[in-house]
Structure formats: structure tokens, C-alpha cells
């Protein structure tokens, strides 16, 4: 893969010298099983994942959200880069793809951190925002949190605080409770995700958007862009323009993989 460097040799040099030698074996396994899948090119790039792993560790991120799981490369990276009691809400309507990587995630011993939600992301984020948060004793493992999730879906309580099975639930507690979010899904919703994640991620937390240089097409004349890349390119360019003036975040565009935009919530 050439990446964005416009030189196969330089991209290969970085991957072979600095990325692959340090890639955990379980991540390589996911990369290998994904290589046989028709949409293999959608996996988050290994150099992007390496940077994300460092950001997660620098933040000491514990509560994270991932939008766009596919076979789980970036999800496993997140699970490997967070503490034992981390909680990752991972959203994707395609459970089939997730199940390709799941046995590798299980073997790596980090499945307990993951709450996979088979859904479009927007309704889940809206539920998190209007709804309830989880307060449960730390000895409950995260299989329990899936149960809590189902409970939420059926709960219409308007009270700000109530008990169920001895566990307390509070409304609005999800706001500002996440350390990190990674967005790698439908490009036409990037701005919608941004608005919601800005409320869910705490001040000082990060939201990382993948594919924000869209194979370098953001600087190509429209007529030079392959037809199937045109629509997403327009969405990405609109997102890039919006985010460049959004004073609620500090931003940094890193030209790794397909380009990522790192947003730090500042207010
Ligand atoms: C580029 S892939 C994600 C790659 C993943 N980060 C990885 O490392 O393998 C995009 C994923 O977004 C999912 N997706 C598409 N629309 C979505 C939506 N509205 N909400 C959540 N996920 C969506 C697709 O099913 C697909 O699995
Ligand atoms: O070629 C793609 C397409 C997507 C994509 C398209 C539609 C969706 O609803 C979600 C994702 O995502 C990609 C991606 O994240 C990537 O790194 C490379 C290529 C593509």
C-alpha cells in the first residue's frame, strides 16, 4: 500500500521497519484473516493503529467508543491498549464481519472489555445521550453490561436516579464520560457523529476520525477522482472544512494510513 506518502518505497520502509516488527501477533492474525475478505481494504491501516495505541496509552483511556468495527483490527488494538477494566462500546450493523475477528479477540484475552452493539451508530449514540449510564459494582464483568444495555432499551423511566436489583442508575451520566472515540464508518455521518461524540467525550478526551485524506483525493480535481470515491470524498471534504473552524476542539491531521484527524475536546 502506498499510503499518502506518494512513494511506495517510503510507505513500505515505515511499515517494515517501524510498524510490523512491533505489531502484536494477535493484530497480525486479524490482518491475515481479513486479507481473504472481499472488503479487506477497509481495515484500519497498521500505522494508524500504532499511533492510536500510543494516544490511548498517553490518555490512559478506559472508556471508549468505536464506530465501524468491520473484522476488528482497530477494536483489538484498542482493547490491547487499554487497562484490564476498560470498557469499549463498539458499534457496527455487520455482526458477521465482527465474528471473523472475534475468535482472535477471545484468544487475546480482551473480549471482556468489549460491548459489541449490532446497530447503526446514530441511534446508539442518541440513546447514550438521552438515556442512562451504568453504575454497577466493579466486580461485575462486562457481560453484565450487555444485560444493562438491554435493560436500558426497555426502560422508559424519566427519573434522574433509581435502583434496579440493587444497582443504581443515573441519567445523563454518559455525557463527558468517555476518554476516547474512534470513527471509521459511513463518511456521510462524520459530522453527525462529531456532534454527539463531543457531548459524550470528556473535556481533554480525543475523537479520532479515519480516512480524512481519502486516499489523497481531497486535493485532486473532481474529474480525476474515480467515480466510486467521489461521493465520500465530498462528505470528507465538508467534514474537513467544518472541523477546521470548530472552536470546541483542537485538531491535528496526521498523514498516517488514509489520514486521520485527531480532535481534542477543549470545552
Ligand atoms: C472501514 S470499516 C471499519 C474498519 C475497522 N475500523 C477495522 O479496523 O477493521 C467500516 C465499517 O463501518 C460499518 N458501518 C457502516 N455504516 C455504519 C453505521 N451507520 N453505523 C456503524 N457502523 C457502520 C460497516 O459495516 C463497516 O464494518
Ligand atoms: O472504500 C471504503 C469504503 C468505506 C466505507 C463505505 C461506506 C460505509 O458505510 C462505511 C465505510 O470505508 C473505507 C475505509 O474506512 C477505508 O479505510 C478504506 C476504504 C473504504
Amino acid at each position: 500500500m502506498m499510503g499518502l506518502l506518494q512513494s511506495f518505497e517510503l510507505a513500505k520502509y515505515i511499515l517494515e521497519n517501524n510498524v510490523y516488527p512491533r505489531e502484536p501477533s494477535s493484530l497480525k492474525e486479524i490482518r491475515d484473516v481479513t486479507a481473504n475478505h472481499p472488503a479487506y481494504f477497509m481495515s484500519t491501516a497498521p500505522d494508524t493503529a500504532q499511533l492510536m495505541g500510543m494516544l490511548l496509552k498517553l490518555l490512559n483511556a478506559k472508556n471508549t467508543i468505536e464506530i465501524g468495527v468491520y473484522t476488528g483490527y482497530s477494536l483489538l488494538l484498542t482493547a490491547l491498549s487499554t487497562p484490564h477494566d476498560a470498557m469499549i462500546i463498539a458499534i457496527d450493523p455487520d455482526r458477521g464481519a465482527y465474528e471473523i475477528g472475534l475468535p482472535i479477540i477471545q484468544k487475546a484475552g480482551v473480549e471482556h472489555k468489549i460491548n459489541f452493539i449490532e446497530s447503526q451508530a446514530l441511534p446508539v449514540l442518541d440513546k447514550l445521550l438521552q438515556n442512562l449510564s451504568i453504575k454497577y459494582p466493579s466486580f461485575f464483568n462486562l457481560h453484565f453490561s450487555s444485560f444493562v444495555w438491554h435493560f436500558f432499551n426497555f426502560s422508559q423511566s424519566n427519573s434522574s436516579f433509581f435502583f434496579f436489583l440493587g444497582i443504581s442508575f443515573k441519567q445523563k451520566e454518559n455525557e463527558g464520560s468517555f476518554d476516547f472515540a474512534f470513527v471509521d464508518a459511513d463518511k456521510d455521518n462524520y459530522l453527525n457523529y462529531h456532534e454527539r461524540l463531543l457531548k459524550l467525550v470528556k473535556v481533554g478526551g480525543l475523537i479520532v476520525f479515519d480516512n480524512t485524506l481519502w486516499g489523497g483525493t481531497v486535493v485532486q480535481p473532481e474529474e480525476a477522482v474515480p467515480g466510486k470515491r467521489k461521493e465520500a470524498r465530498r462528505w470528507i471534504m465538508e467534514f474537513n472544512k467544518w472541523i477546521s473552524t470548530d472552536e470546541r476542539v483542537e485538531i491535528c491531521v496526521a498523514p498516517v494510513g488514509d489520514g486521520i484527524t485527531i480532535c481534542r475536546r477543549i470545552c
Side-chain angles (χ1 to χ4, degrees), residues 30 34 39-45 66-76 91-95 97-98 117 119-123 182-190 193 210-211:
I30 291 215
T34 304
Y40 68 91
F41 52 86
M42 293 210 302
S43 270
T44 297
E66 167 143 339
I67 301 177
V69 172
Y70 185 44
T71 59
Y73 188 86
S74 54
L75 177 58
L76 176 56
I91 316 166
D92 198 307
D94 187 355
R95 179 178 285 277
Y98 172 57
I117 299 170
S119 172
Q120 305 283 324
L122 279 181
F182 180 56
V183 181
D184 187 14
D186 44 337
K187 316 307 168 199
D188 49 329
N189 270 317
Y190 270 28
Y193 295 144
D210 199 6
N211 308 111

Side-chain angles (χ1 to χ4, degrees), residues 21-234:
R22 288 171 171 271
E23 186 184 39
S25 58
S26 52
L27 277 181
K28 180 171 174 359
E29 268 187 76
I30 291 215
R31 207 155 45 78
D32 289 344
V33 296
T34 304
N36 303 317
H37 196 258
Y40 68 91
F41 52 86
M42 293 210 302
S43 270
T44 297
D47 52 343
T48 299
Q50 191 181 52
L51 175 56
M52 262 174 64
M54 188 173 283
L55 294 174
L56 285 159
K57 286 176 187 164
L58 284 169
L59 272 180
N60 194 22
K62 198 169 150 183
N63 292 324
T64 82
I65 299 180
E66 167 143 339
I67 301 177
V69 172
Y70 185 44
T71 59
Y73 188 86
S74 54
L75 177 58
L76 176 56
L77 175 277
T78 303
L80 292 173
S81 309
T82 48
H84 186 73
D85 59 347
M87 182 174 174
I88 305 163
I89 294 180
I91 316 166
D92 198 307
D94 187 355
R95 179 178 285 277
Y98 172 57
E99 284 176 352
I100 294 172
L102 184 56
I104 299 164
I105 291 172
Q106 286 166 337
K107 202 169 65 173
V110 291
E111 189 199 5
H112 67 280
K113 301 182 191 178
I114 297 169
N115 183 4
F116 178 82
I117 299 170
E118 181 183 354
S119 172
Q120 305 283 324
L122 279 181
V124 174
L125 300 181
D126 285 338
K127 265 271 191 294
L128 282 171
L129 279 170
Q130 44 157 274
N131 213 324
L132 311 157
S133 69
I134 310 162
K135 275 263 168 195
Y136 52 89
S138 57
F139 56 79
F140 277 93
N141 68 23
L142 293 172
H143 298 296
F144 180 77
S145 73
S146 322
F147 158 74
V148 171
W149 177 258
H150 290 298
F151 174 73
F152 285 173
N153 285 336
F154 291 105
S155 169
Q156 295 301 315
S157 171
N158 286 322
S159 67
S160 62
F161 182 80
F162 64 94
F163 285 90
F164 178 71
L165 290 177
I167 301 147
S168 64
F169 297 84
K170 271 188 182 173
Q171 278 188 321
K172 297 285 180 201
E173 223 180 64
N174 289 323
E175 286 195 14
S177 71
F178 292 88
D179 306 294
F180 184 92
F182 180 56
V183 181
D184 187 14
D186 44 337
K187 316 307 168 199
D188 49 329
N189 270 317
Y190 270 28
L191 281 175
N192 291 323
Y193 295 144
H194 180 61
E195 285 307 317
R196 285 151 178 88
L197 290 170
L198 260 184
K199 296 190 182 118
L200 289 165
V201 167
K202 61 182 64 162
V203 173
L206 300 183
I207 309 169
V208 175
F209 292 88
D210 199 6
N211 308 111
T212 54
L213 297 175
W214 202 234
T217 61
V218 290
V219 292
Q220 288 173 359
E222 166 126 1
E223 55 279 11
V225 177
K228 60 179 191 287
R229 307 219 89 200
K230 278 194 169 120
E231 194 188 343
R233 170 183 172 270
R234 276 199 291 273

